[in-house]
Amino acid sequence: MDLTLGLVIGVVVIALAFDYTNGFHDAANAIATSVSTRALTPRAALFMAAAMNFIGAHLGTQVAQTVGKGIIDAPTARTAW
């Protein structure tokens, strides 16, 4: 395995680990407010947070496109004729 592939794998593993732990913090913050004010039961808040995080992750890539705009200029396809 060459160095480039090892670095790519390492960066992906670190990014996934960060994303996983970051999700714990986001979910706790989202659930804590509604449970502490007794607006929702802990079970209902947990179910809603899980469902909405799942739906939100699969809705689209508009936020990622907005954040990444201008960072990388993707080349346009050229025709050979």
Side-chain angles (χ1 to χ4, degrees):
M1 175 165 56
D2 69 328
L3 181 63
T4 305
L5 180 61
L7 286 174
V8 168
I9 291 172
V11 167
V12 168
V13 168
I14 291 171
L16 287 174
F18 171 78
D19 195 35
Y20 186 72
T21 58
N22 191 33
F24 286 141
H25 299 277
D26 289 343
N29 291 335
I31 292 171
T33 303
S34 59
V35 171
S36 66
T37 59
R38 298 185 192 261
L40 293 171
T41 63
R43 185 179 303 244
L46 184 61
F47 175 75
M48 287 180 63
M52 295 305 150
N53 279 322
F54 183 79
I55 291 169
H58 291 90
L59 278 181
T61 59
Q62 287 82 11
V63 174
Q65 288 174 352
T66 302
V67 171
K69 187 178 287 186
I71 294 175
I72 297 174
D73 294 326
T76 57
R78 294 184 182 182
T79 57
W81 40 304

